[in-house]
Amino acid sequence: MARTAKDRETSGRETPDQEPPDHAATLRRDARRNRELLIASAREVFAEQGLAAPLDEIARRAGVGNATLYRRFPTRQDLVEAVFGDLLAATREAGDEARLAEDAWSGLTAYLERIFEGLADDRGANDLLTTGIQGVPSLDALHPHNHETIGILIARGQEQGTVRADVVTEDLLFVLAALGKVVPASVAAAPDAWRRFLALFLDGLRPGAAQPLPAPPLTSGQIAGALGGLRTDRTG
């Protein structure tokens, strides 16, 4: 007997038991898994080796191919953003919290200690916050916010008589970046040594025994150029 169009249509359908797996969903799960593996691997490798770590090593530890890494993260900046976005957001929140402190000196010291704790624990974070890396969106947003936070706390500290009158924001930014850059070396010798050096620097901001400074402060452009010379990464 000849089959009708309806018969042909019905026979072409598969029953629920014969339905093929959802390949799109499987691919999405695999993609998410690979992304998570790559971020975890990058976090580990950057912490050990800094942001100049080979991307091949990150892919190897994640158990995926280089092509997968570049498909998920086309640039090193993309990977850095994925790894450190939460840290940078937390740093910004710490700045907001510091601004609310009634005592500017307490707000400033607590903020800097929190930043330096991160610098001491992770070489990747150290590279991120102490050199002139560009093209990482969360970091690009943090720079002006950090500059503003330091400026607010210095100005209020000067008004409250706890910060010497001739200090400017750029003084802190440059010295803190230079001091922060050598924190990993001191941590290797003595984990808490950085606290001593930071305390010594902060004492220099006090007005009590201040002496005239022998040279003018660096400009923002000069600081950017100097920090750019410290770069060890290949983020472009």
Side-chain angles (χ1 to χ4, degrees):
M1 184 174 65
R3 299 172 66 193
T4 67
K6 185 174 182 180
D7 291 335
R8 289 193 296 271
E9 180 183 350
T10 302
S11 66
R13 295 175 184 164
E14 294 178 304
T15 66
D17 290 339
Q18 297 171 320
E19 199 167 334
D22 187 342
H23 293 297
T26 300
L27 289 173
R28 287 195 295 270
R29 286 195 298 271
D30 288 346
R32 285 195 299 270
R33 177 176 175 275
N34 287 340
R35 188 177 191 278
E36 291 167 1
L37 288 171
L38 284 165
I39 291 173
S41 174
R43 183 176 289 115
E44 179 181 276
V45 174
F46 285 152
E48 295 171 2
Q49 304 178 29
L51 296 187
L55 297 183
D56 290 354
E57 171 67 9
I58 292 171
R60 186 190 68 77
R61 289 202 197 183
V64 303
N66 288 354
T68 298
L69 186 153
Y70 288 112
R71 187 162 55 249
R72 300 274 73 82
F73 304 103
T75 69
R76 187 178 292 257
Q77 288 95 328
D78 293 329
L79 183 57
V80 170
E81 173 71 27
V83 172
F84 293 105
D86 289 345
L87 170 67
L88 295 170
T91 302
R92 180 166 181 151
E93 290 173 4
D96 289 335
E97 184 178 322
R99 297 183 189 195
L100 298 176
E102 291 186 12
D103 179 69
W105 182 260
S106 297
L108 178 64
T109 56
Y111 178 52
L112 296 182
E113 285 172 0
R114 182 164 177 177
I115 290 176
F116 269 70
E117 285 171 354
L119 298 182
D121 289 342
D122 187 320
R123 282 191 61 189
N126 191 291
D127 283 350
L128 192 67
L129 294 174
T130 62
T131 56
I133 297 168
Q134 297 178 342
V136 179
S138 293
L139 181 63
D140 292 340
L142 177 63
H143 283 318
H145 186 271
N146 180 56
H147 189 286
E148 186 178 67
T149 297
I150 296 294
I152 289 171
L153 293 172
I154 288 176
R156 285 178 50 209
Q158 289 168 336
E159 291 173 359
Q160 293 172 358
T162 56
V163 176
R164 57 190 294 169
D166 55 354
V167 168
V168 300
T169 303
E170 285 73 20
D171 290 327
L172 265 72
L173 293 177
F174 183 77
V175 175
L176 291 171
L179 178 58
K181 192 62 182 171
V182 299
V183 162
S186 68
V187 167
D192 289 329
W194 64 267
R195 296 184 184 276
R196 176 185 178 90
F197 305 134
L198 180 59
L200 285 169
F201 167 66
L202 290 173
D203 276 351
L205 301 180
R206 294 288 201 173
Q211 297 295 318
L213 294 171
L218 297 178
T219 65
S220 296
Q222 288 171 325
I223 290 176
L227 296 183
L230 295 175
R231 290 178 57 181
T232 58
D233 69 290
R234 294 188 292 272
T235 58

